[in-house]
Structure formats: C-alpha cells, structure tokens
C-alpha cells in the first residue's frame, strides 16, 4: 500500500505491451492499509523510451502519450467527493462532469480524458503520469526463501519517476528521482502476498490487501538503508541511524555518492541531537509526528571535487577555512553548519515516522519524504505527508547480497599518522544497504 503526498493511499498495476502501448490501473483507498477502496483510474496510452538520462545517472528518459483515462467509483461517497473536485477545478467542458445527486452505478466507467475528443478532466484529481518520463529496470538475484532449497531466483523491479511533494507542482514536475519500485508480476521478491492480489485485480475488483496489525512506534536501535537511494536533484545516498529511546537522543550517518550504485563516495555527514515524544498524526493515519533537533554535525569529504568546493567556501561558513582533505572528518558545529552543503545548526525538523514488519518479519522504519524542492521541513506546515524508502532494523537485516563494498577508505592517514577515517560501527559494516543490489 503506497502513500503519496497529500496523503493519498494507492496500489498500482501497470502492463506494458511489445507494441509500446500500456494499460495502467491506479487503485485509490480511504485508508493506509489499502482495504477500503475509493475509486480506480484506468489509464491507456503509449510509451516510447528515448535515451539515457543526462540528469539522473542510471535512468532512461521516456515520452508518453495518454489515449484515455477512465474512473470507476466504489461508493456513492467517492462519487460525490471526486465529482465535486472535478466540477470545481476543471475547465468549461468538465464543470458538468457528473450532475450533483447522480446515483452511484457500481462498475460504471466514466471518461475523464480522451485524446480523440481532446477532453481532459483529470486536473481536479491532481493526476499526471509524468512518472513514466523517468524509467529504470533493476535486476538482482534473491536466495530461495525455503530453508531446504538452495540457489537463487531472479527479481525484477521497475523504478518510475518520483511524485512532487507539493500538490500544486505535481502536474508540471518532471521527475529526477524515483518512487519505491514496482515488482515484476513474474519475477518478484518473495514472499509477496500483495503481488498476486494486485496483479489479478481490475477496475471492477480493486485489490483488498491482507489485514495487518498496526505497530506502535519503537525507535530504539539501529536502522540502515536497504539499497542505494536516489533523491530528486541527483542525490545518491545511504543512511544509517541509531535511536536511544531511554534519553530521546539520536545520531545518523548520511553517506553521499556520485553514482547510482553508491560506489563512488563524495562526502559523509554525521549528525546528532534529540527528538520529541511522538504523537499520532492527524493528517496521515498510521503515522507518528515527531520533532527532531540537530545540534551537532561533522563532515568527511571523500573526493577531490568536494575537497576543492569546501576549501573554496567562504571562511567561517563550513569548519576551518581551507583545511579540508579527503578522508579527514571535521566538526562543523562551531560554524553553525556548512553553507556549501546546505547544513544549518542548530536546526529543527518536523517529521513523520511509522514502523512496519515486512513479509519476512523484519522491522522497517519509514521516515517522512523530503520536500522535492530541496528545502527542509523546518516548520509544522511543512511536515511530510508521505515516506521515503524504508530503513531495516540492523538485527533483522539480511546478508543476502554478497557483493559487499567497504566504505572505510583504508590506508588514508591524517597528519599524525593515524587512520584518517574512523572505522564505521560494526553493525553498519555488516548491514550497509543490505550489501548493495547488483544493477543490470
């Protein structure tokens, strides 16, 4: 069950044909468990892959053309609400899309967009398919889950462009990052009870996902990225957090890279501070609202370009002036952060968290999605309404991906002959990014 900014709760099923035509279902729900359907969009069109993206490395740019978009309502309430959005916000030809008081007809398909008649009544829904303009298919092998079985199975995942966190911008935004990946119906990660349910669904039979118990937010312990993460504005990173529940303090490492494999480090940020007692979110059911204060930070430049940038930054704006060298950590607390990297101290962020268990009983931590425009959720009205890719609790992280990449920069020494970059926490070395997916 996906959470998009707003929030919107949905599941998706996309079918791509050999002749470049596609048919997509977007199933929308009232609830964050995707058990109470609201309406379904049926989207038909054509997709043409173009060239490798020069903005987002590893992605392919694509053009798409929508032929038809239809909507099926799953209740009178959904019909009433959605038709009022369309009547209020669409152009002249859509004001009477559905007359007030029109009775709900189960299974009836109403046309929202038609290329042939040049009618488009989708704006009121905040609907756009710009996610199709940035595409990546990733393949890796997953060990067979049954204990008595040996070997591995192919897993294919489709990454499509991210959705802008600002509702008003999403109609025009061209993505530079990704949403969480969709699983191949044939070659998907196992176990995946939702995969078959969503694959067999259609506009008349929306998927009802299995009931799952709501988990209280337990932040204690260490959490790590499950793969190399891609953010808008061409940021590649992995994250590692430790939360100390007894005194509400936290510390985190943000490892930044220049490539979508997370193999070419550029800089590392260590940050720490404390966080507030959580309260249930009034906007996003199932989420918990917290405030995080960052009081201390350190930066390690990892490549010559970053070293040069930091050494040429304005004196007093980022650590000791002209003193940066690769692999040597420097405290930036005294300079109130680092202007060149956009770090401001002290700093408070208003966050959205939730925890879940996946189908392999691993604990997952979802942290609020960062604003697409690169700003910070530094006020309550900028608090996220959707989530980033989940972190996995280190005790439950799997060692299924064997191509481990060391991040310690062995051999680099500081001026005193000591190892310049402190060894990373043992848990992180064991579990960083689930030991990295192999990219095709």
């Amino acid at each position: 069950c996906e959470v998009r900014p707003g929030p919107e709760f949905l599941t998706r099923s996309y079918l791509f044909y050999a002749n470049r035509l596609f048919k997509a279902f977007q199933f929308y729900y009232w609830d964050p468990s995707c058990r109470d359907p609201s309406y379904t969009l049926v989207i038909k069109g054509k997709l043409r892959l173009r060239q490798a993206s020069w903005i987002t490395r590893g992605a392919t740019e694509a053009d798409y053309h929508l032929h038809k978009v239809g909507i099926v309502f799953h209740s009178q309430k959904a019909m009433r609400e959605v038709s009022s959005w369309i009547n209020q916000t669409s152009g002249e030809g859509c004001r009477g899309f559905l007359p007030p008081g029109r009775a709900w007809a189960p299974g009836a398909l109403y046309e929202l967009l038609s290329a042939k008649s040049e009618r488009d009544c989708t704006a009121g829904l905040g609907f756009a398919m710009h996610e199709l303009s940035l595409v990546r298919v990733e393949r890796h092998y997953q060990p067979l889950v049954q204990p008595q079985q040996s070997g591995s199975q192919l897993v294919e995942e489709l990454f499509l462009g991210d959705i802008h966190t600002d509702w008003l911008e999403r109609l025009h935004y061209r993505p530079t990052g990704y949403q969480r990946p969709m699983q191949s119906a044939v070659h998907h990660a196992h176990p995946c009870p939702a995969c078959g349910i969503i694959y067999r669904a259609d506009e008349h039979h929306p998927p009802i996902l299995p009931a799952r118990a709501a988990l209280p937010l337990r932040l204690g312990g260490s959490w790590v990225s499950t793969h190399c993460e891609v953010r808008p504005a061409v940021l590649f990173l992995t994250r590692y957090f430790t939360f100390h529940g007894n005194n509400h303090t936290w510390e985190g490492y943000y490892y930044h890279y220049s490539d979508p494999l997370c193999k070419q480090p550029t800089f590392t940020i260590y940050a720490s501070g404390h966080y507030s007692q959580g309260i249930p979110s009034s906007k996003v059911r199932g989420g918990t609202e917290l405030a995080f204060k960052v009081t201390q930070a350190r930066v390690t430049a990892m490549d010559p370009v970053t070293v040069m940038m930091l050494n040429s930054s304005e004196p007093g704006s980022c650590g000791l002036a002209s003193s940066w060298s690769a692999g040597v950590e420097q405290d930036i607390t005294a300079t109130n952060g680092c202007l060149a990297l956009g770090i401001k101290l002290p700093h408070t962020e208003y966050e959205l968290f939730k925890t879940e268990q996946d189908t392999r009983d691993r604990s997952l931590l979802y942290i609020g999605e960062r604003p697409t425009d690169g700003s910070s959720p530094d006020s309550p009205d900028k608090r996220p309404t959707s989530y980033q890719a989940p972190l996995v609790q280190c005790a439950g992280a799997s060692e299924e991906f064997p191509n481990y990449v060391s991040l310690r920069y062995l051999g680099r020494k500081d001026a005193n002959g000591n190892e310049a970059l402190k060894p990373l926490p043992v848990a992180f070395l064991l579990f960083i990014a689930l030991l990295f997916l192999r990219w095709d």
Side-chain angles (χ1 to χ4, degrees):
C1 187
E2 302 179 55
V3 183
R4 283 186 173 179
E8 290 179 325
F9 309 112
L10 76 157
T11 58
R12 295 177 293 155
S13 176
Y14 292 4
L15 179 60
F16 298 91
Y17 298 93
N19 61 358
R20 302 195 305 209
L21 295 175
F22 71 87
K23 181 179 182 180
F25 293 108
Q26 292 184 352
F27 306 99
Y28 289 82
Y29 302 81
W30 298 110
D31 68 301
S33 301
C34 290
R35 293 183 51 78
D36 185 9
S38 170
Y39 63 90
T40 295
L41 296 181
V42 186
I43 305 141
K44 296 180 180 180
K46 196 162 192 174
L47 181 73
R48 182 173 69 91
L49 299 178
R50 291 171 54 213
Q51 72 274 339
S53 171
W54 62 274
I55 297 177
T56 307
R57 289 176 62 186
T60 298
E61 293 180 356
D63 289 328
Y64 72 92
H65 180 68
L66 297 181
H67 296 161
K68 283 186 176 182
V69 178
I71 187 168
V72 174
F73 302 105
H74 301 304
S75 67
Q76 181 73 45
K77 177 188 174 188
M79 185 178 193
R80 186 171 59 249
E81 286 203 8
V82 173
S83 60
S84 71
W85 300 340
I86 294 170
N87 290 339
Q88 287 171 21
T89 59
S90 300
E92 285 295 329
C94 302
R95 292 249 167 86
F97 171 71
L98 283 176
R102 176 80 172 267
W104 169 53
L109 180 70
Y110 301 93
E111 190 175 79
L112 284 170
L113 179 149
S114 169
K116 191 175 289 186
S117 66
E118 298 184 348
R119 175 178 174 170
D120 184 357
C121 301
T122 61
L125 296 174
F127 169 81
M129 285 299 285
H130 299 326
E131 62 191 273
L132 293 177
S133 63
L134 197 71
V135 180
R136 178 182 178 86
V137 174
E138 187 179 302
R139 298 179 180 91
H140 65 271
Y141 287 87
Q142 177 192 42
L144 296 171
V145 290
Q146 300 299 330
Q148 66 272 22
Q149 295 176 317
S150 60
S152 57
Q153 60 196 10
L154 176 66
V155 174
E156 291 185 312
E157 295 179 312
L158 173 64
F159 290 79
L160 296 177
D162 61 301
I163 308 298
H164 203 289
T165 52
D166 185 337
W167 180 278
L168 298 176
E169 296 291 334
R170 60 198 288 182
L171 297 182
H172 316 288
Y173 172 67
R174 294 292 170 167
T176 54
Y178 302 121
Q179 300 173 67
R180 288 190 64 198
M182 300 177 76
Q183 300 284 318
S184 162
V186 179
H187 303 293
H188 56 262
H190 288 269
C192 182
C195 291
I197 296 171
I198 298 170
Y199 174 70
R200 290 188 293 270
D202 60 30
E203 65 269 38
H204 306 300
H205 308 91
I208 310 295
L209 298 192
R212 301 176 68 178
L215 296 178
L217 184 68
R218 292 197 180 97
L219 275 185
S222 297
W223 307 79
V224 66
S225 297
T226 60
H227 61 274
C228 186
E229 299 173 7
V230 182
R231 298 254 183 96
V234 203
L235 287 174
F236 307 104
L237 76 159
T238 57
R239 296 172 290 152
Y240 171 69
F241 291 107
T242 300
F243 299 95
H244 307 282
N246 56 337
N247 59 4
H248 280 229
T249 60
W250 68 278
E251 52 189 330
Y253 290 86
Y254 303 80
Y255 296 89
H256 289 259
Y257 305 83
S258 62
D259 70 300
L261 301 177
C262 285
K263 288 188 175 182
Q264 299 165 15
T266 53
F267 62 94
T268 296
I269 300 171
Y270 166 84
S272 63
H274 54 268
Y275 60 94
S276 67
Q277 186 76 34
I279 60 170
S281 171
S282 57
K283 266 192 174 180
V284 187
R285 281 169 55 192
T288 300
E289 296 181 352
L290 303 101
F292 274 75
K293 187 149 191 179
V294 188
T295 55
Q296 184 184 10
R298 303 194 294 265
V299 169
T300 308
M302 296 291 207
D303 69 339
V305 173
T306 307
V307 169
M308 186 172 64
M309 177 186 74
L310 295 178
N311 278 331
S312 60
S313 61
E314 186 180 336
S317 69
C318 188
L320 294 174
S322 305
S323 64
W324 294 91
S325 57
V328 180
E329 186 179 66
Q330 191 173 148
D331 197 316
I332 58 169
T333 308
T335 53
N336 297 322
C338 180
L339 194 61
L341 297 177
I343 304 169
K344 182 182 176 184
L345 294 175
H347 181 65
T348 300
E349 296 196 340
Y350 295 85
E351 270 295 359
L352 180 73
F353 276 49
K354 75 169 177 177
T355 49
E356 283 184 0
Q357 273 196 313
D358 68 6
T359 51
R360 287 183 281 168
D361 293 327
R362 300 178 307 173
S363 294
L364 302 179
L365 173 64
Y366 291 83
I367 300 177
E369 191 171 359
R370 309 298 296 176
T372 307
D373 63 7
S375 64
S376 168
D378 53 8
S379 61
D381 61 299
K382 293 181 72 175
R383 191 186 301 273
T385 55
S386 57
Y387 301 98
Q388 300 174 54
L391 305 172
V392 66
Q393 194 162 34
C394 286
S398 164
E399 294 186 57
E400 63 195 42
F401 302 112
N403 42 330
Y404 167 70
V405 180
S406 172
L407 300 180
R408 288 192 294 175
Y409 265 143
L410 297 178
R412 293 187 182 271
K413 307 289 183 180
D414 64 16
N416 300 319
N418 300 316
E419 190 175 344
L421 191 61
K422 296 176 185 175
L424 300 178
V426 173
F428 184 79
L429 292 177
L430 288 174
F431 303 114
I432 175 67
L434 289 187
L435 310 185
F436 295 95
L437 298 178
R438 286 193 332 197
W439 297 64
D440 187 48

